[in-house]
């Protein structure tokens, strides 16, 4: 049986579980691949650092370059841009297959790395970079290769989904839900990348690149986090039969002049409770795909964690090893399309707008005129005349939900409403999908 040397770069939460699987399930993996997968070494920065899994000390090294040079398959789980990027390029140029879960690096340079792998005739795989254990990238790349995807919409960050779900099911405030997420290990000590939407934006760029066969990166993603979502927003959503989720969305659009493009965005979003994504609770992830022929598809499962994400990594390793055993060039998605990224102004969506206004005659007429001036249609309006905590005496709370319109028109409407003297505050602006 052919022996393939596997180099593992990084031994954190995911890397330690990958190493465990490669060692404990060596015989099973050999049967499935037709080759013995030998874990040749694990490159780490600190040999003395504590590990989640007890592993043979002799496997660890600080010389990542030497380990890469001797490997047939390189698994990169270091994260960050450098030295990960340099080591991946070194592996590709040396003829090694690469498996990575590095969403930040892929969001920055997936097309460049894919082109480099194709030129070298090796495979670059990265299923673990989006939605943990959920098999979503390979189905988009392979199963839907003969279809035309029109929209991808997903919950791709477990931390934010846990926080928003807790706010919805328990009535907790944002800060309290975040504290609980940290206690349970769902949120990092510094949760900025999650709650500001940056993690989801990286994944949105990768999903867009694969779905629309064209290069997209972080600069193409309009990003908004969940820190402005309040308990009042969540309660209002519940009254409307909706729930708030942080969604990553990539969709085909027209720019008004007949030219097709793609809009890529991440933001807190209202969706009806009857929508499949509304039923995704806790730290789970789900990705909803719409295609011309396949119709609507949803992929659901654990989107993070050492063991679930390691499952996706080892799945890529097995697939890559089979290719090496059988021979032939690698299969890495080539992004040769000419579809351009369009700004968020080109998106058509609906808004839910919360206002605090003076409770007197003529207020609704003034607000309605601004909607009319911008040709934005109102679908529903709710008024709560009773005082709520923090409201000025004689004030009322209004909440409008619009019909679908251009982002540009909706944003201009909100901007003009803010200038009205009868409007005390714009308390929230949330986009609506799936209605």
């Amino acid at each position: 049986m052919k022996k393939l040397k596997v180099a593992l770069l990084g031994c954190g939460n995911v890397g330690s579980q990958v190493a465990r699987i490669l060692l404990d399930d060596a015989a099973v993996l050999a049967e499935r691949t037709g080759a013995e997968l030998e874990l040749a070494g694990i490159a780490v920065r600190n040999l003395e650092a504590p590990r989640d899994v007890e592993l043979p000390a002799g496997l660890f090294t600080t010389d990542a370059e030497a380990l890469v040079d001797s490997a047939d398959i390189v698994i990169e789980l270091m994260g960050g841009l450098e030295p990960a990027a340099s080591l991946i390029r070194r592996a590709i140029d040396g003829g090694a297959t690469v498996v990575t879960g590095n969403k930040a690096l892929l969001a920055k340079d997936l097309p460049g790395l894919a082109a480099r792998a194709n030129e070298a005739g090796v495979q670059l795989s990265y299923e673990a970079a989006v939605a943990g254990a959920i098999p979503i990238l390979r189905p988009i790349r392979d199963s839907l290769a003969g279809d035309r995807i029109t929209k991808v919409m997903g919950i791709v960050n477990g931390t934010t989904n846990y926080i928003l779900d807790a706010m919805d099911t328990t009535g907790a405030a944002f800060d309290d839900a975040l504290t609980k997420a940290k206690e349970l290990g769902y949120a990092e000590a510094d949760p900025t990348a999650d709650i500001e939407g940056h993690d989801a934006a990286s994944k949105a760029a990768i999903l867009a690149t694969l779905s629309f066969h064209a290069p997209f990166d972080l600069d193409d993603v309009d990003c908004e986090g969940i820190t402005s979502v309040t308990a009042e927003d969540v309660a209002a959503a519940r009254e409307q039969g909706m729930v708030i989720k942080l969604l990553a969305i990539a969709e085909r659009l027209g720019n008004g002049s007949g030219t097709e493009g793609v809009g890529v965005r991440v933001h807190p979003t209202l969706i009806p409770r009857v929508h499949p994504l509304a039923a995704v609770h806790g730290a789970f992830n789900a990705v909803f795909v719409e295609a011309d022929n396949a119709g609507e598809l949803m992929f659901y499962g654990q989107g993070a964690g050492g063991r679930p994400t390691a499952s996706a990594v080892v799945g890529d390793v097995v697939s890559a090893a089979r290719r090496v055993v059988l021979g032939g060039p690698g299969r890495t998605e080539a992004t040769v399309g000419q579809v351009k990224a369009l700004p968020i102004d080109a998106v058509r969506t609906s808004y839910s707008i919360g206002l605090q206004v003076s409770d007197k005659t003529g207020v609704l007429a003034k607000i309605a005129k601004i909607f009319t001036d911008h040709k934005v249609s109102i679908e529903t309006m709710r008024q709560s005349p009773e005082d709520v905590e923090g409201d000025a005496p004689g004030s009322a709370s209004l909440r409008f939900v619009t019909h679908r319109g251009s982002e540009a028109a909706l944003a201009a409407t909100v901007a003009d409403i803010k200038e009205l003297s009868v409007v005390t505050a714009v308390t929230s602006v949330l986009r609506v999908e799936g209605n």
Side-chain angles (χ1 to χ4, degrees), residues 11-170:
C11 196
N13 190 27
V14 177
S16 59
Q17 294 296 336
V18 169
R20 176 189 60 81
I21 295 171
L22 291 175
L23 294 173
D24 291 353
D25 298 341
V28 173
L29 296 176
E31 291 177 0
R32 294 175 183 172
T33 61
E36 180 184 344
L37 301 180
E38 177 194 355
L39 182 56
I42 306 171
V44 294
R45 294 183 179 90
N46 182 1
L47 296 175
E48 305 302 325
R51 315 291 175 197
D52 294 337
V53 177
E54 187 174 344
L55 298 166
L59 286 175
F60 292 97
T61 178
T62 57
D63 192 346
E65 292 186 349
L67 188 61
V68 165
D69 291 344
S70 65
D72 300 296
I73 299 174
V74 173
I75 306 172
E76 184 277 308
L77 298 173
M78 306 172 74
L81 301 182
E82 288 293 347
S86 295
L87 290 169
I88 287 176
R89 295 188 187 102
R90 187 184 186 102
I92 290 172
D93 294 345
T97 285
V98 173
V99 173
T100 179
N102 194 330
K103 54 186 174 289
L105 176 58
L106 294 172
K108 181 178 178 60
D109 193 29
L110 173 55
L113 292 174
R116 197 181 193 110
N118 285 331
E119 184 177 351
V122 301
Q123 189 160 323
L124 173 67
S125 301
Y126 41 90
E127 184 65 63
V130 177
I134 303 173
I136 179 63
L137 300 185
R138 196 176 293 118
I140 287 176
R141 185 193 69 189
D142 296 338
S143 303
L144 296 174
D147 211 330
R148 182 178 184 271
I149 293 175
T150 55
K151 187 172 186 177
V152 179
M153 180 169 68
I155 298 166
V156 294
N157 182 273
T159 300
T160 52
N161 198 59
Y162 174 84
I163 291 170
L164 294 173
D165 188 50
M167 293 175 71
D168 177 61
T169 56
T170 69

Side-chain angles (χ1 to χ4, degrees), residues 366-412:
K366 291 180 179 180
I367 295 172
K369 182 178 184 303
I370 290 179
F371 279 99
T372 301
D373 290 345
H374 291 285
K375 299 181 180 179
V376 173
S377 174
I378 299 171
E379 182 177 2
T380 63
M381 189 278 290
R382 297 186 180 212
Q383 179 175 357
S384 302
E386 64 275 6
D387 288 345
V388 296
E389 183 179 355
D391 283 355
S395 68
S397 296
L398 301 179
R399 191 167 293 268
F400 296 89
V401 176
T402 74
H403 285 105
R404 291 180 70 84
S406 74
E407 175 78 18
L410 291 166

